[in-house]
Amino acid sequence: MSNDDFVSLRGPIEREGSRLVIRIPLDDGGCDLHLVCPPSSEIDCDDLVVPIPEWLAQKIAVGEGTIVHVDNRGGKFNITKAWVQ
C-alpha cells in the first residue's frame, strides 16, 4: 500500500437496531477502507457500514455518538476513540 492509498477519517458511531456501526461515505475513503474491513462490513447505498462488535466497543470505551478515528495504516482496518478537546 502506498501513501496515496492511506485513508484516515473521523466520525460518530451510530446505532442501527441492536448493533453499533460506523458509516463511512464511499466517496470520502470508504472504497479504500473496504479493502481492509472486517468481512461483516457491507455497502449500503453510498456508505461503507462497519459493525462495531460489542467486545470492541467495551474495550475502547465507545458507544452511540462517540467520535472515532478510522484508518488503514499497516494494511488493516484500525479504529480508535477520537479524543476531542
Side-chain angles (χ1 to χ4, degrees):
M1 179 174 73
S2 72
N3 285 340
D4 294 340
D5 298 331
F6 182 74
V7 177
S8 176
L9 301 166
R10 286 170 48 140
I13 290 181
E14 301 175 8
R15 181 164 296 281
E16 288 187 353
S18 62
R19 67 183 188 162
L20 295 173
V21 301
I22 183 161
R23 290 185 154 273
I24 304 164
L26 294 173
D27 290 344
D28 290 343
C31 283
D32 290 325
L33 287 172
H34 186 255
L35 299 173
V36 296
C37 275
S40 59
S41 64
E42 58 195 43
I43 302 293
D44 180 25
C45 296
D46 294 329
D47 294 326
L48 170 63
V49 180
V50 182
I52 309 300
E54 194 62 40
W55 65 266
L56 180 59
Q58 290 177 1
K59 181 177 179 179
I60 62 175
V62 297
E64 183 178 5
T66 304
I67 304 298
V68 293
H69 175 261
V70 296
D71 65 51
N72 59 350
R73 183 179 57 252
K76 298 186 304 184
F77 183 80
N78 305 294
I79 181 169
T80 56
K81 187 175 183 178
W83 298 101
V84 288
Q85 299 176 0

